[in-house]
Amino acid sequence: MNRFSASAFVRRELTGPAAARDGRDEPVPAAHTLRLVAPALASWATALILLGCPAPAGAVVSVASAACALLIALPVRLAGLRSRSPEPCPSHVPASVRPQPAPPSRRRHTTARQRRDPRRGVPDGPASPAPAWQNIVIAVFGCVAATAGTVAFHVHAAGTGPVAGLVERRASATVEAVLTDDPREIGRRGGTFHRESFVVSARVEAVETPVGRVRVRAPVVLLASGSAWRPLLPSQRIELRGRFGRADPGELLAAVILARGSPRVLDGPSWAHRVAGTLRAGLREAADVLPPAQRGLLPGLVVGDVSRMDEQVTYDFREAGLSHLLAVSGANLAIVAGATVALARTAGLPLAARGVLAVLAMLAFAVVARPSPSVLRALVMGTVAAAALGTGRSRDGVTALSVTVLGLILFDPALARSYGFALSVCATGGILTLAPRWRDRMAARMPRRVPRWVAEAVAVPTAAQAAVTPILVLMSGQLTPVAVPANLLAGPAVAPATLLGFAAALAAPVLMPVAQVLVRPAGLATGWIIEVARHAAGLPLAVLPWPGGVVGLVLLAGSAPVAALVLRHRRSRRIAAAALAGVLTAAVLTSTVAAGWPPRDWLLVACDVGQGDALLVAAGPGRAVVVDTGPDPVPMDRCLRSMEIEQVPLVILTHPHADHTGGLDGVFRGRPVGAVLVSPGTAAERGQAALSGDLARRRVARWTARPGARWRLGPSELTVVGPPEGPPEAGGGGAGAEVNNASVVVHVRWAAGTALLSGDIETEAQTELLRQGFPPADVLKVPHHGSSRYDPDFFAAVGARAALISAGAGNDYGHPAQPTLALLNRLGVRTHRTDLSGDLAVVARGGGLAVVTRGRSSARERPPS
């Protein structure tokens, strides 16, 4: 059930089957719609601009706009008064010839609408109201004045007071705050250990100052770490200490507070948020019977809870244009409201009662799903529509959307800069304005080929995608042509998953076995959606690069009319379809043949995972040993899929830094893992507690590396040569260098050559290995991403002809360091970098080794020397 059909369902349940009228919408005059569209857009643009300006600028704009509105309104008002005042008749004119008022029988047929519109030929009086355009201009200036004044007030409030003083001094203080949203966990892409980090929206209500506790009311964002933040709920009052920092320009935040330690809970959540938290937790618990990917997606579909979403699924949804399914929107509210009013209609309740129940159901669902921008938009718009339907008034979706935008911008001007709000509004606007026309046109032109329901199913996602494309270009600089077919395939499974998931959430607190039974068919629906996203994201040309920002928007605006002209005529449509088919065929052939990936006879692959290490060592057909997993599961899984790896007999985690272990979930995605080898020592053990628990849950063996350990897997023989016995030295690098120096070092031997995989060992460990001795290698995986902490004698002793460096493009660490690259060049070592060439593969060629670089679109083969 998509948004359009969901809205029709609610309309039918509220007003009866006759009101649905076969899905056709009553036309609304364009002039009537424009009267609210223009003020809403003007208010949005005003807030968008003034949020980045000081408060006086907003005040000046507010006063100037109000003055303009008065200057236009006063002459119009005076002209209207003069036109309604009858001209006095001279006293000498007899009463019998004076103008007489129309008799009641004639006045009865003169409506108020006719008296307001001079074009309707009212015979009774010379009423001369303002033209429609003048009313629109007055409304625009009035709304701009109100919005500018609201923005000025918020900007002034955020930039003054005790909190602003603490921000200026970057001081630390103890504050009392009320949470306004759930703590949102953020992933770490670096650092020594995995730490649970959270971003928490809150409102500071008291600040401890040298003169005592001062009461304030300031919106802030808390940056916190530690598991104590995870169970907190909105409306809870906490006390914490933190350092105050400045928020980004354009955000209506008084400060960003770096929290220190755990919060002290002062008060529990409100009853509404307590119930909502219980329902969300119950749904998560019930979903534990599902596979990992499905158990994370189901709460996201139902109530927008993405706390357990698999990162690979999130990536596939983004690439396939299905990310909107993870944001609770009008479709979710329509389904819940429709089910509620269906029960009310069955009970025989009147129309007004159905509208009230629909509003109450949407409010309750919004509390459970949390008031995100899309939820607020859908809630306000649904309330306006339910009020109109409940009172029997005419339906106008565009007017309801305009009222919603105007009201929300005045209520919270920060929404003007929210991409989520913009995507929600644009998608809804496209569905309301474009989808009905495209549906009717397809059904009318091809009645025998395309049934009406098929036309609607195609028109709705196409219209929504067309409407949000400009926003996506501004956000990410890309186009997603696969989004429309992906939404068509995934759409039928959304409603069953949502209804069953919401029923499970209601049943979970009291009947958990029933909830677990309900989520199993819901899991089948979510599994289908996951498969659609996975296959759609892997298609050629699923995502097209496009210039981002204003340049991309201008280019898109120029391309849209050309596309409209091409699609207008049947002949040009056929030519365009043939050309598109040719491009797709060429893309498939190019990606399959020209890329040549995975390369033939590959032995070692350095995956392009950004700022981190992830290596694959060949262990037979469809098998590989994984040495480190990079910082992110998504590129790790993508690299394994590109190499067609289905089994991983051994994972070697050289040391517990997040840029080497953060992608471990990507290895486990659909692949059996034999065992995990970790580095020894106390320094490494401190970072492996969470890993041990994770491996225990997965029932995977955990081994500790010892020098001399050896495995023979497929064409590869792996031998552990480090770390040396004894505690590692930190040297001048601190605790991080101590963990780096405990890295597992592996020597790999093939029939065609050898390689040394050196983890992140730094100067001290390199010197110790040099002292103890180690076998030379043809290929060196340069330690620590090519950092400047190295021993030149170690590099020379390896005797490599080729070096692989894994580093992220434009990383903040300066990796690889120029002195390291210069030394390798002086030693005659050919250097290959993932930040420049993408995935790197060592292959067997002519009795020796060669390096193949995948690059962006094609593979190039080079000898190691």
Side-chain angles (χ1 to χ4, degrees), residues 463-784:
Q465 188 64 29
V468 301
T469 295
I471 308 299
L472 296 176
V473 167
L474 284 174
M475 288 175 57
S476 56
Q478 64 183 28
L479 300 178
T480 314
V482 77
V484 173
N487 277 275
L488 284 174
L489 292 173
V494 173
T498 302
L499 287 172
L500 291 169
F502 194 69
L506 295 176
V510 291
L511 293 170
M512 181 58 68
V514 174
Q516 292 175 339
V517 170
L518 290 172
V519 300
R520 291 189 183 277
L524 297 177
T526 56
W528 167 256
I529 299 172
I530 290 171
E531 287 301 310
V532 169
R534 185 172 70 86
H535 286 88
L539 290 175
L541 302 181
V543 178
L544 299 178
W546 192 270
V550 178
V551 175
L553 199 60
V554 172
L555 183 59
L556 184 66
S559 303
V562 176
L565 290 175
V566 170
L567 297 176
R568 190 175 183 86
H569 304 286
R570 180 178 299 179
R571 183 180 179 85
S572 59
R573 285 199 301 269
R574 291 178 177 176
I575 295 174
L580 180 60
V583 171
L584 290 175
T585 303
V588 172
L589 293 176
T590 300
S591 61
T592 305
V593 178
W597 204 264
R600 179 173 53 88
D601 297 332
W602 70 273
L603 300 171
L604 173 68
V605 171
C607 301
D608 181 13
V609 293
Q611 183 60 23
D613 272 4
L615 306 170
L616 308 182
V617 180
R623 291 159 51 92
V625 174
V626 176
V627 181
D628 288 331
T629 64
D632 190 339
V634 173
M636 183 72 253
D637 177 61
R638 187 167 62 242
C639 182
L640 287 166
R641 282 197 283 179
S642 70
M643 298 302 298
E644 302 175 356
I645 301 301
E646 299 177 353
Q647 296 181 10
V648 179
L650 179 65
V651 175
I652 300 175
L653 301 179
T654 60
H655 62 293
H657 278 181
D659 58 338
H660 291 249
T661 63
L664 184 60
D665 286 343
V667 178
F668 281 98
R669 184 173 171 81
R671 302 175 190 88
V673 175
V676 175
L677 184 75
V678 299
S679 55
T682 305
E685 288 290 342
R686 289 198 299 265
Q688 293 172 356
L691 172 65
S692 299
D694 184 34
L695 295 179
R697 286 191 299 271
R698 299 180 188 273
R699 298 181 180 179
V700 174
R702 174 183 178 272
W703 300 336
T704 300
R706 292 289 182 265
R710 182 172 300 176
W711 296 268
R712 181 76 183 185
L713 298 167
S716 307
E717 183 182 40
L718 297 89
T719 304
V720 176
V721 297
E725 297 289 348
E729 298 182 20
E738 182 181 356
V739 177
N740 286 340
N741 284 329
S743 293
V744 179
V745 181
V746 178
H747 186 270
V748 186
R749 183 180 299 277
W750 306 287
T754 56
L756 184 68
L757 314 181
S758 56
D760 273 5
I761 58 173
E762 299 188 12
T763 308
E764 298 78 19
Q766 294 172 20
T767 303
E768 182 62 21
L769 273 178
L770 190 62
R771 186 184 67 80
Q772 293 185 2
F774 60 89
D778 300 312
V779 177
L780 169 66
K781 200 291 295 184
V782 178
H784 202 188

Side-chain angles (χ1 to χ4, degrees), residues 388-446:
L389 291 168
T391 56
R393 297 179 180 272
S394 62
R395 305 184 301 274
D396 183 3
V398 176
T399 298
L401 180 61
S402 302
V403 171
T404 299
V405 171
L406 184 59
L408 289 177
I409 292 296
L410 290 173
F411 173 73
D412 185 6
L415 290 174
R417 292 197 172 190
S418 168
Y419 278 119
F421 181 73
L423 290 171
S424 177
V425 171
C426 290
T428 306
I431 292 172
L432 290 172
T433 58
L434 299 177
R437 299 178 183 179
W438 294 355
R439 173 202 62 194
D440 295 340
R441 184 169 298 179
M442 281 189 290
R445 291 188 175 184
M446 294 178 290

